[in-house]
Amino acid sequence: MLAVAVLAAGKGTRMRSSLPKVLQPLGESTLLERVLKSCDHLKADREMVIVGHQANLIEEHLKDIEGLEFVLQTPQKGTGHAVKQLESHLANFEGELLVLNGDVPLLSPKTLERLIKEHRDHDAKATLLTAHLVDPKGYGRVFTDNKGYVTEIIEERDCNNDQKKNTLINSGIYCFDWESLKEILPQLNDNNAQGELYITDTIAMLGKSRHLEVEDSKEVNGVNNRKQLSECEEQLQEKIRNHWMDEGVTFIHPSSCTISENCDIGKDVIIEPQTHIRGKSKIGDECHIGPGVILQDAFLGKRVKVIHSVISMSKVENDVCIGPFAHIRPDAYIEEHCRIGNFVEIKKSRIGKLSKVNHLSYIGDASLGSKVNIGAGTITANYDGEKKHKTYIGEKSKTGANSVLVAPIHLGNNVTVGAGSILTKDVPDSALAISRSKQLLKENWKK
Ligand code: UD1
Ligand code: CA
């Protein structure tokens, strides 16, 4: 039997945040969600989260995870005290207990598998994950004997200067034999710099404890402050970008771009600097994105070009060109070969194939046929202060510069709208609609 317990009751004072530390976002999920995800595949028999500080918030955040048990720790008197709260919950449990720190978010599922295997192969009482760090500052130091057993873990605050030089650190990830741990938990004491019960003290008490050094020390980076959070974000981003480069995506300046873990990018896509791809965005082959683009849950077909623009929750078909400075808002559907130019905003509208909306327009709640040409400054006046209304423009129609189409309104196919018109009535196929005051001309106005 395997039980997993994630320590998540602490406040995270060093973050200086009103959020509990484990709910800080990293990429598009929280630290705690990441930790839970890293052990998902182990299919543990019991899965527990130890909560305390702002427990309600954390329980609410994880309420959709089936079978997850919440164990309350109040007050929070250290990581050993947190594990002590499991005594009653695991009273009749026999097997291994995997303990994970809720603030170590980059752990790979494979590493946890290796940890459990190492533990079983050596029939140890406890096995912990360690790493050699160039800068071990802030971490507990791990001391071993010459047979690979761990003799002691000393927190940095409790280390003397010599002990601080040890670069082997405790990651805060442990596999315990629960029955052995259970027996020694009552003996934990708070004789240390913080006056807390330390889970790390159990290692020496258990005697037969081993450690496994991780292959990539970045996996066990802990998050105690904002700087460490940003370092984890950087590592995560680097990993995602490297993945897409392996898959055939070009980044001109990778470190200036951020990419969500949930997106999908085709082959021979070029991503220019300062581009951010968020949510479940999907980008087809040979697109050229950026510089300066934000995509949020955007679906792009093949060979789409976007520059200095924002596209959210919208679908753009093959061979469309967008930008610079376009804002494509939710529920836009832009068909093949359209051209959307500068200072154009499109919302909840279909733009038929081969249409052009090139300059300074707002198209909202509209449906445009194919080959429509929207003149500079054309506005669909879709909102009367209470309700939104629809605009329909048939194929091959053309609006002059500065037209206002007051919705609801229906323009047929092949319609021409004169520049500067304010239209409030429908226009039949092939008609010219023009509504503007006549030009007055006074000759010789100035002598
Ligand atoms: C801990 C380890 C240290 C290790 C480091 C790895 C101890 C005593 N020290 O130090 O050896 O190098 O992690 O990142 O364990 N928590 C509770 N209840 C509490 C206190 C903390 O649930 O009463 C939770 C926190 O929410 C957090 C985790 O335990 O998720 C670790 O606590 P933290 O205070 O960050 O420990 P470190 O000082 O980083
Ligand atoms: Ca920590």
Side-chain angles (χ1 to χ4, degrees):
M1 297 273 263
L2 177 70
V4 172
V6 181
L7 309 187
K11 182 171 176 205
T13 312
R14 292 164 279 184
M15 295 301 287
R16 299 190 183 277
S17 173
S18 52
L19 270 184
K21 175 167 67 179
V22 294
L23 292 193
Q24 293 290 337
L26 178 61
E28 290 182 347
S29 39
T30 60
L31 300 183
L32 188 51
E33 280 173 322
R34 287 181 182 280
V35 173
L36 286 167
K37 210 169 158 202
S38 68
C39 56
D40 220 24
H41 70 297
L42 296 174
K43 306 263 177 276
D45 302 287
R46 305 276 300 268
E47 215 176 6
M48 296 162 290
V49 178
I50 299 170
V51 292
H53 177 72
Q54 292 189 289
N56 293 343
L57 216 57
I58 295 175
E59 287 183 34
E60 174 64 26
H61 176 67
L62 299 176
K63 67 176 189 300
D64 293 335
I65 303 181
E66 222 178 293
L68 195 61
E69 302 168 53
F70 295 98
V71 178
L72 195 63
Q73 181 200 12
T74 43
Q76 296 87 44
K77 291 194 290 194
T79 50
H81 181 249
V83 174
K84 253 173 95 60
Q85 311 309 307
L86 299 174
E87 282 171 329
S88 57
H89 285 263
L90 295 180
N92 302 316
F93 177 81
E94 290 173 11
E96 287 133 351
L97 171 69
L98 188 66
V99 175
L100 306 169
N101 269 8
D103 62 353
V104 181
L106 298 178
L107 208 58
S108 81
K110 253 211 195 108
T111 300
L112 285 179
E113 271 173 31
R114 286 183 55 218
L115 176 71
I116 293 172
K117 185 171 183 303
E118 175 81 11
H119 181 79
R120 289 179 183 164
D121 286 355
H122 291 86
D123 198 22
K125 301 276 186 211
T127 308
L128 60 128
L129 268 187
T130 57
H132 268 293
L133 297 189
V134 181
D135 178 15
K137 198 166 175 290
Y139 290 92
R141 308 296 206 277
V142 178
F143 297 86
T144 57
D145 65 15
N146 50 18
K147 291 188 192 104
Y149 286 96
V150 177
T151 49
E152 205 176 2
I153 303 177
I154 309 180
E155 290 306 291
E156 182 171 85
R157 296 169 203 248
D158 300 298
C159 281
N160 61 33
N161 285 339
D162 251 7
Q163 290 167 327
K164 276 185 192 156
K165 287 180 193 149
N166 179 359
T167 57
L168 187 68
I169 64 101
N170 167 29
S171 69
I173 316 293
Y174 321 80
C175 186
F176 288 103
D177 169 50
W178 169 246
E179 286 134 288
S180 310
L181 179 66
K182 182 167 75 173
E183 268 171 43
I184 54 124
L185 280 177
Q187 299 162 33
L188 278 179
N189 66 59
D190 60 3
N191 288 334
N192 52 56
Q194 295 197 91
E196 291 184 344
L197 302 185
Y198 285 169
I199 188 175
T200 46
D201 287 346
T202 62
I203 298 300
M205 290 156 82
L206 284 168
K208 224 179 143 204
S209 299
R210 292 191 65 86
H211 75 108
L212 176 72
E213 197 181 323
V214 286
E215 282 166 6
D216 177 4
S217 66
K218 287 176 184 153
E219 266 192 50
V220 295
N221 274 2
V223 176
N224 293 324
N225 54 44
R226 306 267 181 174
K227 188 162 175 282
Q228 290 170 327
L229 183 64
S230 80
E231 284 159 7
C232 284
E233 184 76 55
E234 189 49 47
Q235 270 149 36
L236 180 66
Q237 284 302 325
E238 199 179 301
K239 195 173 147 208
I240 298 172
R241 291 186 302 245
N242 288 344
H243 165 79
W244 288 115
M245 286 191 249
D246 286 345
E247 293 289 312
V249 175
T250 294
F251 284 86
I252 305 296
H253 184 206
S255 64
S256 73
C257 299
T258 59
I259 313 291
S260 125
E261 291 160 287
N262 304 315
C263 75
D264 188 33
I265 311 180
K267 292 217 170 11
D268 292 314
V269 168
I270 297 176
I271 297 183
E272 297 247 24
Q274 303 289 354
T275 291
H276 305 282
I277 299 172
R278 300 175 177 164
K280 290 194 172 115
S281 293
K282 188 170 185 327
I283 299 173
D285 295 345
E286 293 171 55
C287 284
H288 195 132
I289 314 294
V293 169
I294 297 178
L295 302 181
Q296 172 77 53
D297 298 302
F299 178 100
L300 271 49
K302 295 181 182 174
R303 298 172 299 279
V304 172
K305 290 196 170 100
V306 191
I307 176 168
H308 281 296
S309 295
V310 176
I311 304 178
S312 37
M313 297 164 76
S314 289
K315 188 168 181 191
V316 177
E317 295 286 10
N318 298 346
D319 302 294
V320 169
C321 274
I322 294 178
F325 313 114
H327 187 186
I328 312 297
R329 292 173 50 205
D331 288 327
Y333 177 47
I334 300 174
E335 294 183 1
E336 287 93 341
H337 292 282
C338 282
R339 170 84 188 85
I340 310 296
N342 37 237
F343 307 107
V344 170
E345 175 177 341
I346 294 177
K347 184 217 83 173
K348 209 174 182 181
S349 294
R350 177 182 83 101
I351 312 294
K353 59 174 104 141
L354 291 157
S355 291
K356 291 178 180 156
V357 190
N358 264 332
H359 343 258
L360 303 151
S361 286
Y362 171 62
I363 305 293
D365 302 298
S367 175
L368 277 54
S370 58
K371 296 188 181 169
V372 168
N373 193 323
I374 297 292
T378 296
I379 305 289
T380 55
N382 61 331
Y383 187 47
D384 61 12
E386 266 180 42
K387 280 190 201 139
K388 302 277 170 66
H389 300 283
K390 291 216 161 15
T391 298
Y392 179 86
I393 304 177
E395 61 177 46
K396 295 183 188 155
S397 289
K398 179 177 181 313
T399 66
N402 236 25
S403 312
V404 178
L405 310 175
V406 182
I409 191 164
H410 187 288
L411 276 53
N413 300 337
N414 255 316
V415 159
T416 305
V417 178
S421 295
I422 298 176
L423 300 190
T424 53
K425 295 190 194 115
D426 292 352
V427 181
D429 289 355
S430 307
L432 165 71
I434 185 160
S435 90
R436 61 166 102 115
S437 46
K438 283 227 165 83
Q439 183 171 327
L440 205 66
L441 197 74
K442 303 213 171 177
E443 292 200 31
N444 301 318
W445 177 249
K446 276 191 180 171
K447 294 270 152 37

